[in-house]
């Protein structure tokens, strides 16, 4: 993997992405083949700018994505470690190639740098616009590697006030603290990693900590398939918001959560059954969950990814008890902006309630740096970016998060979905047009 700004940066392999992209791709192929799916990039921090040099470097890199292909060795590993993938799907994946012509890339200079940009100045600052347009089963794989690529290029061209000193030791200490407290966690850092090298250092450090601190805690694995294979650990992941978003747009919103779970079960009848609850708000999810007790009985547990995590387990306990389901046999996976301190507090709460829990920890492991010029006193912030499904079959998709500032989607569709689920409409609703 390249570290110098002059080199192209792209995934180490087709597996250098998160497991849930593949699990969802197989489900899309089964239920919604050849439906067009559009993905849109959003950088939430409008006061942080990319440079023209960064954008040009990114464009040159993504054009090379079509050279990436699943190898025979990687296919054999998938057959062994992921038996829920069918031979037909693995045939598809082996033939899959990224199609760079599906990407719409634009650099929009800020007003004060318009003239610099027109003169070809690589230091001109601006915003980056990225769309991926094509069949949903194809465009679904763009999200994670595009974000990882852009992040690494940004931090080798635009923000270079950092270095790797102390990174491995810091990751080791975080992992050791979690393990000694009995926490079970997975590495979830691919999308916003500072670099490929950073994620490798993190994996080495947390696995060394797991060796040094055996006990009640543990490292479940990593969401990154490439590193799971390389380090001999379990690939971890199930479903992301885009599955519920796409199902809602295509099949209707009123019972979108139930429909999404039902379709998922048809693809994965006895595995990968951790339900993500907050696509249209967790309370909207619970309406379908309560109306269909089968899901509470059958599915392994729930994933919390937005809102106040400390109200999540007590509320889940109420719901399971209302349905007569033993919640102590279920698990909650917390995955929203976690750090060690928050994970320890959530572990304590779940222990007191009798809930099993685990943690998916991303950016605080794979992109936790300080500015070199500050002597380690000031944070070097990760990019606050997402790539979300914005439409399927020409229909806009939305996400109504438990965290109001994370709501995304077409304005009118957001209003429609909020009305369906009786969620107040506020001035703070974000829109992605």
């Amino acid at each position: 993997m390249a570290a110098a700004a002059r080199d192209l940066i792209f995934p180490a392999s087709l597996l250098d992405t998160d497991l849930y992209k593949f699990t969802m791709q197989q489900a899309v192929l089964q239920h919604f083949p050849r439906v067009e799916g559009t993905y849109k990039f959003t950088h939430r921090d409008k006061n942080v700018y990319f440079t023209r040099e960064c954008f040009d470097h990114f464009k040159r890199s993504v054009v090379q994505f079509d050279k990436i292909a699943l190898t025979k060795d990687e296919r054999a590993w998938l057959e062994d470690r992921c038996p829920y993938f069918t031979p037909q799907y693995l045939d598809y994946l082996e033939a899959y190639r990224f199609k760079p012509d599906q990407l719409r890339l634009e650099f929009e200079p800020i007003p004060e740098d318009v003239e610099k940009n027109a003169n070809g100045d690589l230091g001109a600052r601006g915003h980056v616009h990225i769309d991926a347009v094509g069949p949903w089963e194809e465009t679904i794989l763009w999200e994670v590697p595009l974000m990882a690529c852009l992040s690494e290029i940004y931090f080798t061209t635009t923000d270079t006030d950092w270095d790797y000193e102390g990174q491995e030791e810091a990751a080791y200490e975080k992992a050791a603290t979690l393990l000694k407290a009995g926490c079970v966690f997975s590495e979830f850092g691919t999308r916003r990693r500072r670099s490929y090298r950073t994620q490798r250092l993190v994996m080495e450090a947390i696995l060394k900590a797991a060796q040094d601190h055996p006990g009640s805690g543990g490292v479940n694995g990593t969401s990154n398939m490439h590193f799971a294979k390389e380090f001999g650990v379990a690939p971890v992941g199930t479903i992301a918001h885009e599955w519920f978003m796409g199902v809602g747009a295509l099949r209707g919103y009123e019972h979108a959560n139930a429909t999404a779970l039902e379709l998922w079960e048809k693809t994965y009848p006895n595995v990968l059954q951790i339900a993500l609850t907050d696509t249209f708000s967790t309370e909207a999810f619970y309406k379908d969950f309560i109306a269909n007790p089968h899901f509470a009985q059958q599915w392994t547990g729930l994933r919390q990814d937005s809102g106040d995590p400390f109200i999540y387990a007590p509320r889940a306990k109420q719901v399971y008890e209302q349905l007569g389901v033993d919640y102590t046999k279920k698990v909650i996976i917390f995955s929203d902006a976690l750090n060690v301190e928050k994970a320890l507090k959530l572990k304590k709460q779940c222990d007191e309630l009798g809930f099993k829990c685990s943690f998916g920890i991303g950016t605080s492991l794979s992109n936790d740096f300080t500015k070199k010029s500050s002597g380690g006193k000031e944070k070097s912030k990760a990019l606050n970016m997402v790539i979300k499904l914005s439409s399927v079959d020409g229909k806009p998709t939305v996400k109504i998060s438990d965290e109001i500032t994370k709501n995304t989607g077409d304005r009118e569709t957001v209003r429609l979905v909020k009305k369906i689920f009786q969620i107040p409409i506020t001035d703070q609703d974000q829109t992605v047009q």
Side-chain angles (χ1 to χ4, degrees), residues 157-206:
T157 60
T158 306
D159 181 352
T160 60
D161 187 15
W162 59 276
D163 60 28
Y164 287 102
E165 185 176 352
Q167 276 298 304
E168 193 166 358
E169 294 81 1
Y172 179 93
E173 286 304 317
K174 290 174 186 176
T177 301
L178 292 166
L179 292 163
K180 286 187 283 189
C183 293
V184 175
F185 68 97
S186 301
E187 190 279 326
F188 270 26
T190 307
R191 293 186 304 158
R192 299 186 187 93
R193 69 191 183 195
R194 180 134 317 194
S195 65
Y196 175 89
R197 178 183 171 187
T198 304
Q199 196 170 11
R200 176 185 288 281
L201 288 174
V202 166
M203 287 301 303
E204 290 170 346
I206 64 177

Side-chain angles (χ1 to χ4, degrees), residues 96-211:
Y96 180 90
R97 299 293 183 275
F98 284 105
K99 297 175 181 175
D101 62 0
Q102 292 176 340
L103 298 179
R104 312 287 184 265
L105 307 175
E106 180 187 349
F107 180 75
E108 179 191 359
I110 57 175
E112 54 264 45
D113 282 9
V114 168
E115 185 176 342
K116 290 170 65 179
N117 182 69
N119 295 330
D121 191 319
L122 294 178
R125 300 163 299 158
H127 301 290
V128 170
H129 302 284
I130 306 169
D131 293 276
V133 182
W136 190 11
E137 67 261 26
E138 295 177 7
T139 55
I140 198 168
L141 290 193
W142 276 113
E143 175 204 356
V144 174
L146 280 181
M147 289 175 65
C149 175
L150 182 59
S151 180
E152 180 158 357
I153 291 171
Y154 174 82
F155 286 109
T156 54
T157 60
T158 306
D159 181 352
T160 60
D161 187 15
W162 59 276
D163 60 28
Y164 287 102
E165 185 176 352
Q167 276 298 304
E168 193 166 358
E169 294 81 1
Y172 179 93
E173 286 304 317
K174 290 174 186 176
T177 301
L178 292 166
L179 292 163
K180 286 187 283 189
C183 293
V184 175
F185 68 97
S186 301
E187 190 279 326
F188 270 26
T190 307
R191 293 186 304 158
R192 299 186 187 93
R193 69 191 183 195
R194 180 134 317 194
S195 65
Y196 175 89
R197 178 183 171 187
T198 304
Q199 196 170 11
R200 176 185 288 281
L201 288 174
V202 166
M203 287 301 303
E204 290 170 346
I206 64 177
L207 292 176
K208 184 177 187 302
Q211 262 189 338

